[in-house]
Amino acid sequence: FLTDLALESNPSDHPRASTIFLSKSQTDVREKRKSNHINHVSPGQLTKKYSSCSTIFIDDSTVSQPNLRSTIKCVTLAIFYHIKNRDSDRSLDIFDEKSHPLTREEVPDDYYKHDPDHKHIYRFVRTLFSAAQLTAECAIVTLVYLERLLTYAEIDICPSNWKRIVLGAILLASKVWDDQAVWNVDYCQILKDITVEDMNEMERHFLELLQFNINVPASVYAKYYFDLRSLADDNNLSFLLEPLSKERAQKLEAISRLCEDKYKDLSKAAMRRSFSADNLVGIRRSNAILS
């Protein structure tokens, strides 16, 4: 019963549970609305642009990458609110940037005190998505995995760990969603100073913390999609990505289940190898004692 209750309250698993990022953003949204009311400014009145007969506004959409920029802006805004309105600073060493730096530049001693602004988070994610040629849909799956990690591992995304948590979520989402998965070594070409060993170790921890649950039901994806649209509306951002078609939704569920089975099999194989190695050491020690 408790397991079912926990599942139903987890937005990354259950379609009826509210997304965490949307609730985190509501405090700021209420403040903005209150400020607009005091200053007699209608929300979106001065910032939103609409096409008309005389003027047509064009975004950066393409057939192959529909509204990638606007989708990343919304997803990174969700991450921004996660960090800004976090409950505490619970973290794990594997995600700490001081312990595992992404660059050779020295991490400042007060690195854990300063929240990144939205532009900083956007630039980091945009660089990865552009270099790895990832899709807008992959950005939404990234957010699903991020919230699942925070819920399962009972940690917070904060100034000390946000880059590595986001990188881990992108790494996993790109392997599950995109047809041409990016290898860990490819990310080392983007982030020049990180090692493949570090990437592999972070991926392994991420999967273990998710309990190898990387399945993304179409209903969960749809909820995140519509909540991101609500977030965009609240913050006067455009969000023009089309919802998943029935075929693409089925593909997401099928691929995520397939990847989940593959990772579980790899984990079992690794455990068997570790068990066999331990037994072999034990046998050798026994033989040494007997001789």
Side-chain angles (χ1 to χ4, degrees):
F1 173 75
L2 288 175
T3 304
D4 292 341
L5 189 64
L7 178 66
E8 289 188 6
S9 64
N10 186 350
S12 64
D13 287 320
H14 201 281
R16 289 196 296 273
S18 301
T19 54
I20 304 170
F21 72 84
L22 196 60
S23 61
K24 294 277 187 187
S25 70
Q26 290 311 297
T27 302
D28 295 65
V29 169
R30 285 192 292 269
E31 288 297 319
K32 285 180 184 177
R33 287 174 178 166
K34 183 179 178 181
S35 175
N36 287 338
H37 177 72
I38 293 171
N39 295 307
H40 306 290
V41 177
S42 175
Q45 179 180 342
L46 302 177
T47 55
K48 280 196 174 181
K49 297 180 179 180
Y50 298 92
S51 298
S52 65
C53 295
S54 58
T55 308
I56 299 177
F57 295 104
I58 302 176
D59 62 19
D60 65 340
S61 306
T62 65
V63 173
S64 61
Q65 292 188 317
N67 304 291
L68 180 61
R69 180 179 296 175
S70 62
T71 306
I72 292 176
K73 278 186 178 178
C74 291
V75 169
T76 52
L77 185 63
I79 296 169
F80 166 79
Y81 280 126
H82 258 291
I83 299 171
K84 183 176 184 291
N85 297 324
R86 64 189 181 277
D87 296 323
S88 61
D89 292 298
R90 298 169 299 175
S91 188
L92 295 169
D93 180 73
I94 189 64
F95 299 120
D96 191 281
E97 203 173 336
K98 188 77 169 179
S99 303
H100 305 276
L102 296 178
T103 67
R104 291 178 185 173
E105 295 178 13
E106 188 175 351
V107 179
D109 291 334
D110 61 348
Y111 71 109
Y112 59 91
K113 293 181 180 178
H114 305 292
D115 292 357
D117 59 24
H118 179 214
K119 287 183 179 179
H120 189 183
I121 302 170
Y122 170 77
R123 282 195 298 269
F124 178 76
V125 175
R126 175 74 178 180
T127 298
L128 293 173
F129 268 70
S130 297
Q133 298 184 337
L134 303 179
T135 61
E137 293 92 346
C138 185
I140 297 178
V141 177
T142 294
L143 186 58
V144 174
Y145 287 150
L146 186 146
E147 292 210 338
R148 187 171 293 174
L149 175 78
L150 300 183
T151 306
Y152 279 33
E154 296 183 340
I155 60 175
D156 302 280
I157 185 167
C158 50
S160 64
N161 65 16
W162 73 269
K163 283 185 180 178
R164 289 181 63 84
I165 286 179
V166 170
L167 176 60
I170 292 174
L171 173 66
L172 198 54
S174 67
K175 290 185 176 181
V176 171
W177 174 252
D178 283 340
D179 292 326
Q180 296 179 336
V182 185
W183 296 94
N184 291 8
V185 69
D186 296 322
Y187 284 99
C188 296
Q189 299 300 316
I190 303 168
L191 300 166
K192 302 290 186 182
D193 300 327
I194 195 170
T195 65
V196 179
E197 291 76 18
D198 184 16
M199 291 285 290
N200 292 342
E201 184 75 1
M202 183 170 64
E203 181 185 22
R204 183 178 67 80
H205 274 82
F206 206 108
L207 282 163
E208 288 176 352
L209 291 166
L210 291 187
Q211 301 169 32
F212 295 92
N213 176 16
I214 56 175
N215 182 35
V216 182
S219 56
V220 168
Y221 179 97
K223 176 186 61 184
Y224 274 80
Y225 167 85
F226 285 111
D227 280 4
L228 280 168
R229 286 191 63 162
S230 298
L231 182 72
D233 288 341
D234 289 339
N235 290 272
N236 297 317
L237 293 176
S238 61
F239 188 77
L240 305 175
L241 177 67
E242 290 296 321
L244 285 182
S245 64
K246 183 179 179 181
E247 292 76 17
R248 288 171 73 80
Q250 290 173 340
K251 171 193 168 187
L252 172 62
E253 289 196 9
I255 291 178
S256 61
R257 285 201 189 101
L258 186 66
C259 288
E260 183 177 319
D261 292 340
K262 182 188 76 172
Y263 280 123
K264 283 180 178 177
D265 290 341
L266 288 172
S267 176
K268 288 177 183 176
M271 288 178 67
R272 282 197 296 270
R273 285 196 299 272
S274 176
F275 180 73
S276 299
D278 289 343
N279 282 349
L280 183 60
V281 170
I283 291 169
R284 285 174 176 170
R285 284 176 178 169
S286 298
N287 289 340
I289 292 170
L290 290 172
S291 61

